[in-house]
Amino acid sequence: MGKLDVIQAKGTERLKRGFAKMVKGGVIMDVTNAEQARIAEEAGAVSVMALHRVPADIRKAGGVARMAPIEKIQEIMDAVTIPVMAKVRIGHVAEAKILEALGVDMIDESEVLTPSDPYFHIDKREFTVPFVCGARNLGEAVRRIWEGAAMIRTKGEAGTGNIVEAVRHVRLVAEGIRQIQAMTDDQVYAVAEKFAEPYLRLSLNVKEIAGLPQRVLDNEPIYGHYTYREIVDGLYKILLEIKKLGRLPVVNFAAGGVATPADAALMMQMGMDGVFVGSGIFKSSNPPKMARAIVEAVNHWDEPDVLVEISKEIGEPMRGQDIEELEVRLEERGV
Amino acid sequence: MVKVGVIGLQGDVEEHIWAAKKALENLGVTGDVIWLKKPEGLENISAIIIPGGESTTISRLMVKNGLFEPVKKLGEEGLPIMGTCAGLIMLSKEVIGATPEQRFLELLDVKVNRNAYGRQVDSFEAPIKLAFSDEPFPGVFIRAPRIVELLSERVKPIAWLGDRIVGVEGDNIIGLEFHPELTDDTRVHEYFLGKAL
C-alpha cells in the first residue's frame, strides 16, 4: 500500500524501552537449537535467548564462554516468530556490533559469558538495538541504565537452579529504592557520586602505575568522552527519576536460578515484571511441560489454588546447586 | 459510569491503564479502568483494550484463562474493543506469519502480516495522520504487524503513515499497528472511549 515519504527515527530510547515493555508479564527462555526454540514458542514464551550452551553447561565446560556461533543464532531466528535475544561478553563492543548487524532483537550484555573488558561495560546508547543487563544492586542497575540499558534483570547465580541469589538481588535493589525515596536531593547526589566510582578505576590504575596523585581532573574523560562530573550528573538524574517512580525507570526481570513454577511466582510476588529461565527448562525432565507451567505461573502468581494445578505433573526440575559449593560466582563479574 | 478493561495477561498493560484513565479524565467521564485477567472481570464492561505484547503468548493465555470466547462474543455483540500491535493481530480476520497453534478473535475484517516491518532494529517512530484530529500523532512502531488488506466495506482507515494505512475501525472495533499507550498523547484513547459513552 503506497510508498513511505515520512521521516523515521530508529533506536530511540522510547523504542528500546518500549520493546522491553512488550515482554512484561512474560517468560524469556534460554534455547540452544531450533527444536528447543519451537518448544519455547509453543509454550508461550515471549522471547527466546539464543545460546551455544545453557548456563549449567557453561559452568561444566569451563574455559572462555563467548558469543554463540552465528549459525546457531541464525538457526533459532529462522525457527520462531517471537523476538530472539543473544548474549555478548561484558564490554565486547565488536560482538555486540555483530549481533546488531545480524538482527537479534535484544542483546544481553551478560556475566554468564567471560568478561572481555576488566574496566567497562558497553556504551549501549551508541546502538540501535536495545540491551538488557544484569544487576545485583541499585548501583549496578543505575550504572547500566545510564549506559543505555533498556531493561534490567537480576544476575542471580546462573546455572545453579538456586533462587537465593536472585532473591538477594531483588531485595537489594528494592531496599536501595526505598532508601533513596527517604533521602533529600543532596543525599541522593552523594549516592550518585558513590555509584560513579567504578568508572574511575582505569584512570586511577594508570595514575597509580605512573606514581601520580590519585585524583581525577575535572575535564578528564574517564569513560568514552564522559568526565566524572558528567557521569555523576547522569546517575543523579536517573536516581531522581527512581525516587519519583518508586521503581526502576525500565522493565525489570528476574534471572539466575529460576527452576520451578513456584520460583517464577515468587519473583512476580516480589514485584518483578517477568522472568528469564535459563537452564531451568531444558535441564528439567520434561521441558515442554515445565515451560508451559512456568509461563502460567508468571500469569497466575497471585492465585495459590491455580499454582497448585500448574505445579502438578511437571516432572523433575533441574538439579540445583548450593551457592557455597560453587567454584565460580558469575554474579561477581561486571560491577 | 464506564468500566474499561485492559486484557492483563502479558504485555504493556499498565501503560494502557494509565492512558485510558487519563483519557477518561480528559473526556470528563467518571469510570474505572481495570486489569482484566479473568472472565469475571467482564461483568458490566463498557470497553476492552488488548495491549501490545507477544500475540502468541496473549492468544495462548486468553484461551487458557477462558477470556477468548466471551471477549469474542462481546465484540460480535457490539462492545467497543481496541487492539494495539499484538492486540491488532488478536482482532484480525486473517494473519500472515502466525504460528499453527495461534488463535484469533476475527472481529476486524483485515488481513495483517505479523512481522512485516522486520525485527527490533527496524522499529521506528514517525508522525502519523489521524482521521479525527488535525494535528499529527506520534506513531511508535515496535516489531509492528502491517495491515495489508481491508477485507470489507465496513472497515475504514483512521490512521495513516504517509499514504499507508496504519489504523482502522470496523464499527465497534479499532485496530492499530502502533502504540499510542507509549506516548503522553491520549487522543486515540479518547476517540476509542468515546464509543463507550
Side-chain angles (χ1 to χ4, degrees), chain B residues 24-57:
Chain B
L24 288 178
E25 208 179 291
N26 292 346
L27 291 167
V29 177
T30 49
D32 261 350
V33 184
I34 65 156
W35 186 300
L36 192 57
K37 250 173 99 168
K38 296 187 214 175
E40 297 88 88
L42 294 169
E43 208 174 313
N44 300 320
I45 199 89
S46 330
I48 293 173
I49 296 172
I50 309 178
E54 260 318 302
S55 61
T56 47
T57 309

Side-chain angles (χ1 to χ4, degrees), chain B residues 154-169:
Chain B
R154 291 168 52 222
V155 178
K156 306 266 180 278
I158 56 165
W160 297 265
L161 173 69
D163 53 9
R164 181 196 296 162
I165 297 167
V166 295
V168 292
E169 172 178 3

Side-chain angles (χ1 to χ4, degrees), chain A residues 52-71:
Chain A
H52 186 37
R53 295 188 180 100
V54 294
D57 291 333
I58 290 176
R59 275 187 185 285
K60 260 189 239 160
V64 174
R66 311 183 180 91
M67 170 181 83
I70 297 300
E71 313 81 69

Side-chain angles (χ1 to χ4, degrees), chain A residues 143 192-201 204 222 228 235:
Chain A
R143 284 190 288 278
E193 287 182 322
K194 180 74 187 162
F195 283 181
E197 281 176 8
Y199 295 104
L200 293 167
R201 287 179 306 168
L204 294 178
I222 57 168
Y228 174 69
L235 299 180

